[in-house]
Amino acid sequence: MTVETHQADDITTEVDSWLTGEFASVLPAADITAIVRSARSDLEGQIVPEAMGEMLHRLARFRVLRALDRP
């Protein structure tokens, strides 16, 4: 595990906790975690590491909101 990987794991955990706290009443925590991990996977290697926190939060939050709009 590299320092970069460890930092990305910390960021992923932080974003997951933040969004779970915000949306747990309307979406199961497991679904939120899956969305956050999927978003991280999609961003990995596509953006500079310094932007991961903000971009992960934005993308995952967008996907959570989109999931809530589905019937």
Side-chain angles (χ1 to χ4, degrees):
M1 176 182 286
T2 65
V3 171
E4 219 171 81
T5 303
H6 181 67
Q7 289 173 343
D9 289 341
D10 290 347
I11 290 167
T12 303
T13 300
E14 184 178 332
V15 170
D16 184 42
S17 295
W18 186 280
L19 293 177
T20 298
E22 185 175 354
F23 294 104
S25 65
V26 292
L27 196 64
D31 291 353
I32 296 169
T33 297
I35 289 169
V36 171
R37 288 185 180 166
S38 173
R40 177 184 168 202
S41 177
D42 290 346
L43 291 172
E44 196 70 42
Q46 301 298 317
I47 60 171
V48 295
E50 296 82 16
M52 181 60 82
E54 179 181 358
M55 297 305 294
L56 179 57
H57 185 266
R58 288 175 182 250
L59 179 59
R61 189 171 195 284
F62 171 79
R63 290 180 177 181
V64 167
L65 291 171
R66 189 174 61 189
L68 294 174
D69 285 341
R70 292 184 184 158

